[in-house]
Amino acid sequence: MINASAASLASGLAHLLVNVSLTGNINESVPLFALHDSGCEFSVLSRKAFNDIFKLHRALSKPENYVDSELQPLIRETYLQAFDGTLTPISGAYDVIFHFKGLNGITKAYQHTVLVHDSTAHDLMLGSDFLSSTARLFEDNNYLYLVDKYVSEGILEPETLKRLGKDCCAVPMNRKSSDSVAIMTTHHITCLLYTSDAADDTPCV
């Protein structure tokens, strides 16, 4: 049984942007707004999101490069427990690729096994299997810092953070309400602000 009792639709929970693909090709990935504070031991992907990712893969790949969409069976029957105690079965497992892009422009990709669930309200819930893995260096209230691999024997010292920080993928975490989402762009954008009392509508930059 996988406990997701903390994964209610509360606006204060952290979310972050993750692109998910089946083969590692970023062009075949689907962007998902993943729940970070899920309370899950394992990462859970919705059936809808899985189908969307698979459809995009089939649309962009050549037939000889198609991957099988059949889920890996679990050793034993497994259920997801919701916040209200409801138990619903896990359909199976699948190996996907998580693609992250940091606000600092650094990108990271990780192969990870997710459990596929038919009726979760979230496209993706990141579990402790990923958030406690060697990919995670540390996190604060605003960012999740990811590296290729880090194995620590103790508390991170400032010198260690400084040395590893330059290669971190700093993924922004959004803790605001669902109608206000942190955004990133691949181009520089200048926004012109207009003052209400400007007689000639002169923009103030």
Side-chain angles (χ1 to χ4, degrees):
M1 183 176 64
I2 300 170
N3 189 350
S5 60
S8 57
L9 292 174
S11 60
L13 296 180
H15 294 75
L16 47 86
L17 183 64
V18 186
N19 279 59
V20 182
S21 72
L22 302 182
T23 64
N25 185 346
I26 186 65
N27 295 322
E28 297 179 6
S29 66
V30 172
L32 301 177
F33 205 39
L35 180 64
H36 173 274
D37 306 27
S38 68
C40 281
E41 182 180 358
F42 299 99
S43 299
V44 179
L45 183 71
S46 74
R47 170 71 76 168
K48 178 184 180 302
F50 176 78
N51 290 342
D52 290 343
I53 298 166
F54 186 75
K55 287 177 182 178
L56 183 62
H57 163 70
R58 282 297 181 98
L60 298 181
S61 294
K62 296 180 180 179
E64 59 268 24
N65 295 326
Y66 286 170
V67 298
D68 191 354
S69 64
E70 185 176 354
L71 299 179
Q72 305 163 17
L74 301 178
I75 298 176
R76 58 181 179 274
E77 197 168 8
T78 306
Y79 294 86
L80 183 72
Q81 182 178 23
F83 68 96
D84 61 354
T86 303
L87 297 176
T88 48
I90 294 293
S91 301
Y94 203 91
D95 292 334
V96 299
I97 308 295
F98 290 158
H99 303 265
F100 296 90
K101 182 175 182 180
L103 203 61
N104 54 1
I106 295 177
T107 60
K108 298 290 182 184
Y110 309 92
Q111 184 176 15
H112 195 73
T113 301
V114 295
L115 302 181
V116 179
H117 188 267
D118 287 342
S119 56
T120 175
H122 303 277
D123 287 333
L124 175 63
M125 294 188 290
L126 293 177
S128 59
D129 58 337
F130 180 78
L131 296 173
S132 297
S133 71
T134 56
R136 173 186 174 275
L137 180 63
F138 74 104
E139 65 184 67
D140 54 29
N141 287 333
N142 300 310
Y143 297 94
L144 171 65
Y145 297 89
L146 299 173
V147 292
D148 292 330
K149 186 176 182 180
Y150 176 70
V151 179
S152 173
E153 297 181 356
I155 299 175
L156 283 170
E157 299 294 337
E159 295 77 11
T160 304
L161 289 177
K162 184 177 180 180
R163 175 172 55 84
L164 297 176
K166 65 181 185 301
D167 296 321
C168 281
C169 175
V171 184
M173 293 195 294
N174 177 47
R175 296 181 185 273
K176 300 179 182 179
S177 60
S178 57
D179 59 353
S180 178
V181 179
I183 62 173
M184 293 187 297
T185 68
T186 56
H187 301 83
H188 293 291
I189 296 177
T190 300
C191 298
L192 302 181
L193 303 178
Y194 290 82
T195 60
S196 59
D197 57 348
D200 57 353
D201 288 334
T202 302
C204 299
V205 180

